[in-house]
Amino acid sequence: MALTREDLENDALRKQYEGLRDHVPLVPEEQFNASLESTLAGWNPAEDLWVFAYGSLIWNPLIHFVEQRRALLHGFHRRFCLRSRGARGTLDKPGLVLGLDFGGCCNGVAFRIAAAKARHELKMIWRREMVLGSYAPRWVHLACDGERVRALAFVVNHAHPHYAGKLPADELTRILATAGGSLGSCAEYLRETVECLTASGIHDPHLLRLRAAVERHCAGA
């Protein structure tokens, strides 16, 4: 089942994780709201707001934006390094989702949100990405068609218990090929990301190799 805009408006992910709060670290409402306000303090409300997408936000953004561009971020790379015990996995069999980790560079997509809608749209993103505290929002600079753009990116929180770091290739392949949760399988998540990146003209050799390995595993090869 895909995440929808209505889910975000209804704060469905928080409600889902409420039932798992003894096993997953749910961020209290007060801390959640304070994090949003602290990040918004770094934005000029007279200007449109850019958000950097590198995973599922590319192929299922669920936000209202006025423009999207290919973007390059230096100093970070895309990696399957966050455990998922609900959306793409279970308590007994955690899956993995992408995070933005330190080092290297990352090609992705930048979404421009109109200034008048930025606060509400960012709250929708917060309800999607920040309920468990797995990410640390950070203002970064992107290269977009030769232009330098200041944007918000969601970097992994190394102190979070869901942070898995760099896993061995065989373990990573096995998890992505076998785990799934309320929003679908990890294999589907990987496939959608690769296909959307490719459609956007972005070639990610690591994810392409990983998709091939997962497909071989699923085929029993």
Side-chain angles (χ1 to χ4, degrees), residues 53-206:
Y54 54 90
S56 64
L57 198 61
I58 298 177
W59 47 268
N60 190 27
L62 303 180
I63 54 172
H64 297 151
F65 57 90
V66 293
E67 181 186 3
Q68 70 178 78
R69 297 187 195 175
R70 281 177 52 182
L72 174 64
L73 173 62
H74 288 284
F76 299 90
H77 65 281
R78 182 174 26 238
R79 173 187 286 172
F80 277 97
C81 60
L82 283 174
R83 305 280 187 190
S84 175
R85 291 182 165 86
R88 298 285 170 174
T90 63
L91 296 178
D92 296 331
K93 193 174 184 178
L96 288 166
V97 294
L98 288 166
L100 200 57
D101 214 341
F102 296 100
C105 61
C106 181
N107 281 289
V109 173
F111 293 106
R112 179 167 63 89
I113 304 171
K117 296 183 177 180
R119 175 176 286 272
H120 182 73
E121 294 308 304
L122 206 56
K123 186 169 185 177
M124 295 301 99
I125 297 176
W126 241 247
R127 287 179 174 178
R128 173 184 182 146
E129 308 290 353
M130 296 296 292
V131 172
L132 299 181
S134 305
Y135 297 100
R138 174 185 293 234
W139 291 103
V140 297
H141 286 95
L142 310 173
C144 295
D145 301 326
E147 181 182 350
R148 192 167 185 256
V149 171
R150 185 171 183 263
L152 184 63
F154 291 85
V155 178
V156 294
N157 176 3
H158 281 203
H160 198 277
H162 284 176
Y163 178 64
K166 185 177 181 180
L167 296 171
D170 57 346
E171 182 181 358
L172 180 58
T173 298
R174 176 185 56 78
I175 293 172
L176 293 178
T178 60
S182 62
L183 295 183
S185 69
C186 291
E188 176 191 36
Y189 177 101
L190 170 60
R191 185 179 65 253
E192 291 277 9
T193 302
V194 170
E195 289 178 355
C196 200
L197 286 172
T198 302
S200 299
I202 299 171
H203 182 79
D204 188 314
H206 172 65

